[in-house]
Amino acid sequence: MLRYFLAVAEEGNITWAAQLLRISQPTLSRQLKQLEEELGVTLFERGSHTITLTEAGRLLRDRAQTIVSLADKAEYELKQSSYELSGDIMAGCGEVRAMTFLADRMAAFRTLHPGVRFHVVSTTADVIQDQLEQGLLDFGLLADPVDTSRYEFLRTNITEHWCAMIPDGHPLQAQESLSPADLANEALILPAREPVRRVVMNWFGPYAAHLNIAGTCNLPANGAAMASSGLGLYPCLDLGTTYPGVRGIRLAPPLESSSVLVWKKQGTASPAAAAFAKFLQTM
């Protein structure tokens, strides 16, 4: 029934949704009415040609998308469990140099188990951790600081260096390194994650209390675009990537961090994900 609900929520029209689901419109209408009666809420505001979600409908849509995704994932994993190891492993990754660490291990594991497929989603640490908890991701590659108490984890032992994105034409772009004093009087774009922002503020030392903060950002590519536009200078991880309109200059004294690969301590992993976790711990 949740799939019927999601189809109508997506299409905004019962007739179109019924055609998509290959059922009759009256049947679909009855299913929706039954769902509303069971839940005791109104899910749709019905117009002459379209229907829109109520607040309760929007809440159910968000939850239903997660439930249906998990059900599809579980069904696939169960079908694969009796065969040679295969299946899908989902990994969420921040933009870090340690992606090479994970990629090397993915390649080595797939040499042993060619039926396994890896799917990497590049997103922010907060989203990765939320989706690990929901079971939508099997692994997360995160830049420190990370609270590892909830996870099994593996340190990558790859040092992540920090730089500042400086726009073309800015006087500081000619320098080989940048100190807290160099950046203290400039407009700055700081990391969006509060724990990471604290690390940067600590690097500034006595200058931290008087910084001119123009905004925050959580991905280097977006921060580089903001810096290029003149909004502010952007301290971030140095990924060795060239972005238009800016130059990344290392910080001095060096600001360095590490990264960690995490997966849930508790919970039922798919056979493929469980085997990959064991493989990681034996390399």
Side-chain angles (χ1 to χ4, degrees):
M1 195 176 295
L2 287 179
R3 295 183 192 276
Y4 289 172
F5 165 76
L6 287 174
V8 175
E10 177 69 24
E11 296 296 325
N13 183 288
I14 292 181
T15 301
W16 297 345
Q19 292 172 353
L20 180 68
L21 295 167
R22 297 184 179 179
I23 61 175
S24 68
Q25 180 178 334
T27 298
L28 181 55
S29 296
R30 285 196 301 271
Q31 292 287 334
L32 295 178
K33 190 64 177 176
Q34 181 182 342
L35 181 60
E36 289 179 318
E37 290 173 354
E38 289 178 356
L39 296 176
V41 296
T42 300
L43 299 173
F44 296 100
E45 294 177 354
R46 293 163 171 83
S48 56
H49 299 291
T50 62
I51 59 176
T52 58
L53 291 171
T54 63
E55 184 176 350
R58 290 191 292 271
L59 175 62
L60 180 61
R61 178 194 59 196
D62 294 342
R63 298 294 186 267
Q65 287 171 339
T66 299
I67 292 168
V68 169
S69 294
L70 288 172
D72 289 343
K73 187 171 185 283
E75 180 182 359
Y76 180 82
E77 289 164 355
L78 289 170
K79 287 179 178 177
Q80 299 297 317
S81 61
S82 61
Y83 302 100
E84 173 66 25
L85 186 64
S86 61
D88 295 293
I89 296 177
M90 308 296 296
C93 302
E95 292 190 342
V96 292
R97 285 182 179 267
M99 183 60 205
T100 56
F101 170 94
L102 178 57
D104 288 345
R105 282 151 182 78
M106 288 176 170
F109 185 76
R110 199 167 183 278
T111 298
L112 300 173
H113 305 289
V116 171
R117 292 179 296 272
F118 287 96
H119 305 278
V120 173
V121 178
S122 296
T123 186
T124 62
D126 293 336
V127 172
I128 291 170
Q129 292 177 86
D130 286 345
Q131 293 196 355
L132 281 169
E133 291 301 317
Q134 295 173 39
L136 297 175
L137 291 176
D138 301 304
F139 298 89
L141 181 61
L142 306 169
D144 278 322
V146 178
D147 178 7
T148 57
S149 62
R150 294 182 294 166
Y151 305 112
E152 299 287 350
F153 66 92
L154 187 65
R155 292 283 173 190
T156 65
N157 296 320
I158 294 177
T159 301
E160 305 285 349
H161 300 276
W162 282 72
C163 69
M165 295 289 182
I166 311 298
D168 292 346
H170 193 285
L172 291 177
Q173 201 181 66
Q175 297 192 191
E176 292 305 311
S177 63
L178 296 169
S179 68
D182 291 326
L183 299 178
N185 295 319
E186 302 287 341
L188 298 173
I189 303 162
L190 295 185
R193 284 185 64 217
E194 196 273 335
V196 181
R197 193 161 60 249
R198 282 202 304 268
V199 171
V200 175
M201 297 294 277
N202 288 339
W203 178 80
F204 274 100
Y207 298 98
H210 307 289
L211 296 180
N212 176 11
I213 301 173
T216 64
C217 187
N218 55 18
L219 290 175
N222 292 339
M226 294 165 74
S228 177
S229 73
L231 183 64
L233 311 186
Y234 179 48
C236 63
L237 292 179
D238 183 1
L239 303 178
T241 304
T242 300
Y243 299 103
V246 296
R247 177 185 171 217
I249 302 176
R250 288 281 178 95
L251 304 182
L255 178 57
E256 298 174 341
S257 59
S258 57
S259 49
V260 59
L261 183 62
V262 303
W263 58 97
K264 288 181 69 175
K265 281 184 177 179
Q266 307 294 332
T268 305
S270 69
F276 186 54
K278 291 181 181 178
F279 176 79
L280 290 169
Q281 292 168 316
T282 58
M283 283 195 72

